Every structure is written in structure tokens, then in C-alpha cells.
Amino acid sequence: MRPVKTGDELCIYYGSKLWFPSAAKAPTTTPEIVLSDQEADDVLPGISLLHDEGIVPPAEAKVKPLANEPEPKSTALRNPSSTSPPVSRSSKERKTKGSKKDSTLTPAVGKGPPVKDIVPPEQLPFERFKFPDEDVVEPDDGPIPTMDIWATDVLEPRKIGLLLEHIRLNSDSYRTEALDHLKRIRRVTGPDDSEPRTQLALSPHIESSPGPPSLPPHLSDFASSPFVVTVPSTHAVNQTQLTRKNVLWPVCYYPMLETKKEKEWTKQEVEGMREGAKKAIEAGREAKKQLGELPIAAYVTTTFDPEVAASTSTSWTDYDTRNSTHHPLRHACMNIIRKVASSDSALSASSTDTTQQPSYLLTGYTLFITHEPCIMCCMALLHSRVKDVVYIKPMPKTGGLGGRGADEHKALVEDSVPGLKGVNHRFGIWRWTENLDGATEIDVDQTVDA
């Protein structure tokens, strides 16, 4: 080994059993590397190949030992986490210089990243509901879509609360729904760096009724005459859009609405999802059979990976207790959120880190539930910032995740809680479509709020 010199190429190696000559007996010249005929054709001879079981080099690439140096036991390298032996190829005589490449040689196996065992979308045992605006892609570098609105200068900023309250109480007259993507107030500095002005967005400018909205007399003294301003017509889903649109008028920032590539599911991930659904069904069956409760249960976990040890994955299971407690709000979702909160409080109480900021209860978690949750539970899940909800049985009459109506995808657009305009969080909605053992034992009346 020697110090790194200027111009040396840096190679990072992830493996084990790497043998180096002693630094005290370092050669004065570069050791000769003996390659097989296959490696002689590689662009970078001696570099290991990528195989499914890890990173291993050619077995024939050997470094001639220096004088008085012992022959290394093995130069084969492999992934230390792998239990498979290093991959080797049979040695061949070196070809003379200028000879043609043997066309019968087997191509190098495993070059490039390992291929994932992807499950085709049509074979997945579940489906995801898509929100209507997911397919709307707005380019970051194109023209900003705009609209015209009526705005006013607030002459007395201390009275802005009165103006906002008046607009809220008369939202239909001011058509405030069309401005939900905008911040209601902005601060503007004049070209002469004068005192910043506070401007208030009043209502959209409509060509069919070009007249400005009128404030009542007791408020008109606090604001200037309305004027037309061009503003963005959509919210921002990333920082680039946010920066560009805020130049015109501050907009709301909803990164969770950004269009993303559809997830590719591996067999291992699908099996993890199946295990989560089974745990929820089993909890529902036990609650009905052993305790006489409604067979509605939920299971919360942080990972789908079945290879992760149970001790490294936090999870909770709970069920509906309305029958035993005679309490109408003891739904499975509400109970499991309360259980997570209790666990989080106990963990915080035992922690000595006073600088850690509290987070939402279900951030990054996936909830499996036997039945589509009701509107109350859906709103509780939204406020808890759950990442995904997977339900097994739709509830057409009471569900809050799109299970209502004949056309469920249309119902999702119109009725689902995370699909409502103005909500500040959306979670993924998944419905299980595969028949699972025990699923017929957890049927409930369709009028029940799950």
C-alpha cells in the first residue's frame, strides 16, 4: 500500500477478503496481471463482474506475488452478506495477439445491475385508485398557466382580519373556491423601495361579469378600489414551480400531488402486502370469535419486507370495540391511532433527546384494514399523515375512500376524503382484489360505519 498520488484513479470496492501486498515490500513496478481470454476482451480487464449473488471478480485474474511473499489463499471476492460461493470460470489458454475473438465463448453473465423479479401490473392482487389530477403534468420550464383575479391594497393591515372574515362568510359571492390554490395575502414592495404594501385576493375576474366585487361600507375604508392582477391558475408541486409562480402571486405548495412513475412491485413486496392483509383479517376473525366484537380490524406497519426481523419493524394491531365498550367512536382505525399515540408518548417520555421535534403519528406508515374506513376514520388517518391505506372489503354505503356508488373510480373523485379540494395531505388508496382465507368470515352489514 502507498499514499495516493495526484492523477491516480480512485476505485471503491464493496466486498471482503481483499488481499494486498505488504507495504514494506511494495513493488517498484506495477504487478503483472494474468487474464483469461475472456477478460482480455473486456474494456477494463481484471474488474469484477456483477452477478446475482454479489460482486465477484474473475477467478483467473491473479496477481503474481512478490519475492518472499506468500501466495494468497484466494483473490475471489464476493458479497459478504451472500451465502453462495464465488462464481468462477474455467481457465483457457491465452490467444495470440491479433487472433479473432472466439465466437463460441459464452457471453459474460451478470453484467449490469441485477434484474428485479417484477410482478406484472395485471397480476397484482390489489389495485390503486388514482386521483384525477395525477395525470396532469405541468412542465417546470414552460409557460405558467395564469388567470386574472380582483385584488385590493389593504390600507390598514391591522384590519385585514375583518376583511378575511367578511370574505369567508360570503364565500359564494366572492367565488373563493376558484382561488383555493392561492395564498390569500401577499406583500409587495414598490419600485422605489417604499414601504411594502399588503394586497388581498378578493375573487376571480370573470369576463361575463367584469365588475369588481364591492366591500360593505364599514370595510371599504380599509381597502383601495379593486384592480385586476394576473396570477398563476394552479398550485405548485415542486420547488421549481413554487419559485416561478410566487413571482406572480404566492401559491400553495402541494408536493404530494406531484405526478410520479407508477411503482413496480417485486414478488417479495407483494408477499409483504399479502401478509399485512392476512394479519388484519386474522385480527378481525379473532375479535369476533373470542370477544364478540364486530370483525373489523386494522394492522399498521412500517415495512412490507418479510425479511426484516420483527424486532426492527414497528407494527400495531387493533380491532373495533364498539360492542364491548358501548362507545360509538371505538372504531378499529380510531383505536389503532390511539394505540400508536400511546406508544409514541411512552417512547418520548423515555427519550433524553429534548431537541427532537414531534412528528405526525402515522408518517411513513401503511395501514391495512379489513373494511373500507368511514368518513370519520378517513379524516383521522389524513390528520395522522398515514402514507398508504389498504382495505379488503369496500363499504358502498358508508366508506370514505371511493367505495361508494357503482362507478367506484368516479366515486373516488367525488367523495373520497383525501380527494377533497383544500386538504393538505393525501395518502395512497389501495383495494385488495384477491380472495384471502377467512375473508368470508368478516362480512358485516353494509350500513355499518367501519
Side-chain angles (χ1 to χ4, degrees), residues 344 357-363:
D344 192 60
Q357 296 295 323
S359 60
Y360 290 99
L361 290 175
L362 298 181
T363 298

Side-chain angles (χ1 to χ4, degrees), residues 69-375:
E69 279 291 328
E71 177 75 12
K73 293 182 180 179
S74 173
T75 56
L77 312 178
R78 61 189 176 96
N79 189 336
S81 63
S82 170
T83 57
S84 302
V87 179
S88 63
R89 295 173 290 175
S90 59
S91 300
K92 298 180 184 289
E93 294 182 358
R94 289 184 56 84
K95 293 178 291 184
T96 59
K97 185 176 181 180
S99 63
K100 290 186 178 180
K101 183 177 180 180
D102 187 356
S103 60
T104 63
L105 289 177
T106 304
V109 178
K111 284 192 174 181
V115 178
K116 292 183 179 180
D117 197 1
I118 301 297
V119 179
E122 63 274 9
Q123 296 181 15
L124 292 174
F126 45 78
E127 64 176 345
R128 183 178 76 89
F129 284 129
K130 295 182 68 174
F131 294 98
D133 50 11
E134 284 191 40
D135 295 327
V136 179
V137 180
E138 183 180 314
D140 295 341
D141 54 354
I144 298 176
T146 61
M147 61 183 292
D148 289 338
I149 68 168
W150 290 104
T152 181
D153 285 328
V154 180
L155 304 179
E156 293 190 33
R158 291 180 298 178
K159 304 293 184 180
I160 200 167
L162 297 176
L163 294 169
L164 290 172
E165 181 67 9
H166 167 74
I167 293 173
R168 185 185 68 81
L169 295 175
N170 298 274
S171 58
D172 292 340
S173 300
Y174 286 90
R175 302 181 180 89
T176 56
E177 183 178 348
L179 305 183
D180 284 345
H181 63 287
L182 296 175
K183 300 290 187 180
R184 185 63 64 175
I185 300 167
R186 75 167 177 176
R187 301 275 284 177
V188 179
T189 302
D192 55 352
D193 293 330
S194 58
E195 185 71 18
R197 305 190 314 275
T198 300
Q199 294 185 341
L200 173 66
L202 294 175
S203 67
H205 178 271
I206 301 175
E207 295 294 337
S208 59
S209 55
S214 58
L215 294 170
H218 71 284
L219 295 177
S220 58
D221 293 340
F222 307 144
S224 68
S225 299
F227 50 87
V228 177
V229 179
T230 299
V231 302
S233 59
T234 57
H235 54 257
V237 297
N238 56 51
Q239 287 291 339
T240 300
Q241 291 185 10
L242 184 65
T243 301
R244 297 181 68 216
K245 293 182 178 184
N246 280 352
V247 174
L248 298 179
W249 189 283
V251 297
C252 296
Y253 180 42
Y254 297 140
M256 65 282 189
L257 305 187
E258 185 173 12
T259 301
K260 295 180 174 62
K261 182 181 178 181
E262 199 70 24
K263 175 178 173 57
E264 292 183 331
W265 290 86
T266 65
K267 288 184 178 180
Q268 186 182 44
E269 291 171 330
V270 170
E271 187 57 33
M273 289 278 281
R274 185 177 285 109
E275 287 301 313
K278 288 180 178 179
K279 287 179 183 291
I281 290 178
E282 184 60 27
R285 293 172 60 193
E286 290 298 317
K288 177 182 179 181
K289 182 179 179 180
Q290 303 292 338
L291 306 172
E293 302 285 4
L294 290 171
I296 304 173
Y299 170 70
V300 168
T301 182
T302 59
T303 178
F304 298 148
D305 191 347
E307 290 191 357
V308 176
S311 60
T312 62
S313 175
T314 306
S315 61
W316 298 267
T317 305
D318 216 323
Y319 48 87
D320 191 293
T321 56
R322 278 176 280 183
N323 286 351
S324 60
T325 62
H326 305 289
H327 196 300
L329 302 183
R330 293 292 186 259
H331 295 203
C333 275
M334 306 301 287
N335 287 343
I336 204 164
I337 291 174
R338 186 178 293 107
K339 179 177 286 188
V340 174
S342 299
S343 175
D344 192 60
S345 298
L347 184 63
S348 300
S350 61
S351 175
T352 58
D353 185 3
T354 58
T355 63
Q356 186 176 1
Q357 296 295 323
S359 60
Y360 290 99
L361 290 175
L362 298 181
T363 298
Y365 286 84
T366 296
L367 178 136
F368 296 86
I369 186 167
T370 54
H371 300 74
E372 179 186 359
C374 67
I375 294 176

Side-chain angles (χ1 to χ4, degrees), residues 127 129 391 394-397 402-412 414-415 431:
E127 64 176 345
F129 284 129
Y391 69 86
M395 300 295 288
K397 296 183 179 181
R404 296 163 53 180
D407 186 347
E408 295 180 2
H409 286 276
K410 182 179 179 181
L412 173 67
E414 299 175 350
D415 298 332
R431 186 182 67 171

